[in-house]
Amino acid sequence: MFNFAFTNLQDFLIMDGHGIYVWPVYLIALVIIATSFQVTYFKLRALKKKLQHASK
Amino acid sequence: MFTSFIHRFSAPKSFVEVTAIFFPYVMTIGFLVLSVGWIWGLAFAPEDAIQGNSYRIIFLHVPASIYAQLIYFFMSICALMHLVWRVKLAAYLIKAAAPVGVIITFIALFSGSIWGIPTWGTWWQWDARITSTLILFIMYLGIITLHSSFSNAEKADRLMSILVVVGVVNIPIIKKSVDWWSTLHQPASITVSEGASIDPSMLYPLAISALGMGLTLIALGIMTSRLYILTREKNKKWVQSYV
């Protein structure tokens, strides 16, 4: 169950010609999720700063 | 008594304070578990006998599709709580969960779309499962747009909750679409009545990916909720003392 499913790294990247579909899907999903976290984090930080400033 | 119990524990202030404690753990564990699931699925799960390696998209597509529906289901429970018991926090959570729903439904749609190219020979088909998921995506966008089109926030909360409750009819349609209509999309491989028809070597990484994705989305949801609650209640005393 824990054997590497490919013979080498190149095989892993190409995935018998399916790598061109598999990798972009994961990459784009990762970018979308990471960007969502980042954007929300910065908005939250900016809001807290603004509120701290206003409450002084 | 039940109503007062709900209201005491659903104060936006308590939510913001409690989630501040949980957030770092949920996010870290979520990222770690998701990484384990994806690495296992991409590198160690065996190749599929029919679909070859393209099936590896499953470790992203299936969890994304599950949560696209679960988030809506969560929102509909919140909508009922808001309509029946006037729980303010419930409306805030709907507004905060909707963007997470948009993101994950988009990921479900586009990952399925790309998976369709090598498997079905087409990236889009007006098939029952795909169309009903596209409707779900539009519903999420509609909920956000409806809420932001009102200047009276309380009225917006109520109308948004009504729309969410009405739209919940789409969820069983998505779930059952592969059984009710003859679709290009395959039926479920894991069912309550018959168990899983996929091998454990693929099922375990799938389950781990789903768990990791769930925790990651909860972490994102906590962040969007905190952002929305603080924005909405910025003039309240507790927010001023909290920040």
Side-chain angles (χ1 to χ4, degrees):
Chain A
M1 197 179 273
F2 294 103
N3 291 330
F4 190 45
F6 303 89
T7 47
N8 54 42
L9 194 67
Q10 198 183 355
D11 247 26
F12 180 44
L13 292 176
I14 295 171
M15 289 190 171
D16 286 330
H18 284 159
I20 196 168
Y21 305 109
V22 176
W23 294 112
V25 169
Y26 278 87
L27 199 70
I28 295 168
L30 261 180
V31 169
I32 293 173
I33 294 171
T35 313
S36 314
F37 268 95
Q38 205 183 11
V39 168
T40 319
Y41 173 75
F42 283 123
K43 277 188 180 170
L44 198 56
R45 205 173 63 167
L47 177 72
K48 277 186 184 165
K49 265 191 189 157
K50 204 176 116 187
L51 293 175
Q52 274 166 359
H53 200 71
S55 66
K56 270 178 195 162
Chain B
M1 197 187 135
F2 181 62
T3 315
S4 76
F5 171 83
I6 288 181
H7 281 108
R8 191 181 317 157
F9 287 95
S10 65
K13 182 178 178 241
S14 326
F15 181 88
V16 170
E17 285 170 353
V18 171
T19 51
I21 305 167
F22 288 116
F23 175 73
Y25 302 104
V26 178
M27 189 179 75
T28 315
I29 297 171
F31 285 168
L32 283 176
V33 174
L34 187 60
S35 313
V36 169
W38 279 4
I39 292 169
W40 189 349
L42 284 168
F44 299 99
E47 191 178 332
D48 186 73
I50 299 163
Q51 298 190 24
N53 284 310
S54 69
Y55 99 95
R56 291 181 198 278
I57 293 175
I58 201 172
F59 304 106
L60 168 63
H61 178 73
V62 168
S65 311
I66 292 171
Y67 293 111
Q69 296 166 63
L70 269 186
I71 290 172
Y72 198 92
F73 187 65
F74 165 76
M75 282 164 56
S76 61
I77 291 171
C78 287
L80 279 177
M81 289 185 78
H82 181 67
L83 292 171
V84 177
W85 292 298
R86 295 263 179 266
V87 182
K88 264 194 307 184
L89 179 66
Y92 296 172
L93 293 182
I94 299 173
K95 184 74 200 320
V100 184
V102 169
I103 291 164
I104 206 63
T105 313
F106 177 78
I107 291 177
L109 280 170
F110 104 90
S111 60
S113 199
I114 295 184
W115 194 359
I117 302 171
T119 317
W120 299 338
T122 177
W123 65 275
W124 189 263
Q125 185 77 35
W126 292 103
D127 150 304
R129 172 64 63 92
I130 307 169
T131 311
S132 51
T133 307
L134 180 67
I135 292 171
L136 180 68
F137 180 67
I138 296 168
M139 288 286 305
Y140 280 124
L141 292 177
I143 288 159
I144 297 171
T145 317
L146 178 83
H147 196 278
S148 24
S149 60
F150 285 91
S151 52
N152 180 339
E154 276 78 34
K155 195 176 170 190
D157 287 348
R158 265 198 307 282
L159 287 169
M160 173 182 73
S161 302
I162 294 169
L163 178 64
V164 170
V165 171
V166 172
V168 81
V169 70
N170 190 32
I171 298 298
I173 295 179
I174 298 178
K175 182 81 192 88
K176 287 284 168 193
S177 56
V178 283
D179 306 322
W180 288 343
W181 292 283
S182 139
T183 59
L184 196 55
H185 194 289
Q186 65 168 59
S189 303
I190 305 159
T191 56
V192 178
S193 52
E194 289 163 32
S197 62
I198 63 175
D199 194 75
S201 58
M202 295 169 180
L203 181 65
Y204 294 157
L206 182 59
I208 293 171
S209 305
L211 178 69
M213 178 81 87
L215 292 171
T216 305
L217 293 177
I218 290 173
L220 182 60
I222 289 176
M223 272 176 98
T224 56
S225 308
R226 291 167 63 83
L227 177 65
Y228 185 66
I229 292 171
L230 292 178
T231 312
R232 183 80 180 261
E233 303 225 322
K234 62 177 180 241
N235 296 324
K236 297 262 172 81
K237 248 192 188 140
W238 74 266
V239 174
Q240 282 153 13
S241 55
Y242 178 76
V243 294

